[in-house]
Amino acid sequence: MAREQDMKQTRKKHGAAFKAKVALAAIKGDRTVAELASAYGVHPNQIYAWKKQLLDGAAGVFEDSGAASQDQTSAAQVDHLFRQIGQLKVENDFLSRKLGK
């Protein structure tokens, strides 16, 4: 029973910055994955997984710039519509007073 407790280990939770650093080191190719695994204290399969995630998500970095311009266009349209609503409200109030309602 005591041996079981000695063998149990808690999982390490690595932050995004650590994962990115390890994945970039793997992409560089200066050192082998086995060397990186021993240097950073992680399993080589984990390094391969992080490297794949980084390469798969790299295109998303450049796609977000289009979303920012779309948000600006959307904000400009909303601003224009609010101004138009305000103008119509003023005209409606004016006509209501003139017609005596």
Side-chain angles (χ1 to χ4, degrees):
M1 189 85 161
R3 265 188 103 167
E4 273 185 40
Q5 289 177 349
D6 291 340
M7 295 184 71
K8 288 185 180 178
Q9 292 180 349
T10 58
R11 287 183 179 229
K12 293 179 185 176
K13 295 183 180 176
H14 301 289
F18 177 78
K19 292 177 186 180
K21 181 171 70 170
V22 174
L24 284 173
I27 290 172
K28 270 188 193 176
D30 295 341
R31 300 190 292 179
T32 65
V33 173
E35 291 173 341
L36 292 172
S38 65
Y40 290 109
V42 295
H43 197 274
N45 288 343
Q46 191 65 60
I47 294 176
Y48 285 120
W50 291 342
K51 179 180 173 182
K52 184 178 181 323
Q53 275 184 317
L54 181 64
L55 291 174
D56 290 346
V61 172
F62 299 105
E63 291 173 357
D64 288 339
S65 63
S69 65
Q70 186 179 10
D71 288 344
Q72 289 176 346
T73 304
S74 165
Q77 287 176 341
V78 168
D79 185 45
H80 173 71
L81 290 173
F82 275 127
R83 277 190 266 125
Q84 195 173 17
I85 289 170
Q87 181 181 355
L88 291 173
K89 182 166 174 33
V90 169
E91 290 174 2
N92 194 19
D93 290 345
F94 175 77
L95 291 173
S96 295
R97 280 183 270 145
K98 285 294 183 182
L99 295 175
K101 287 187 177 178

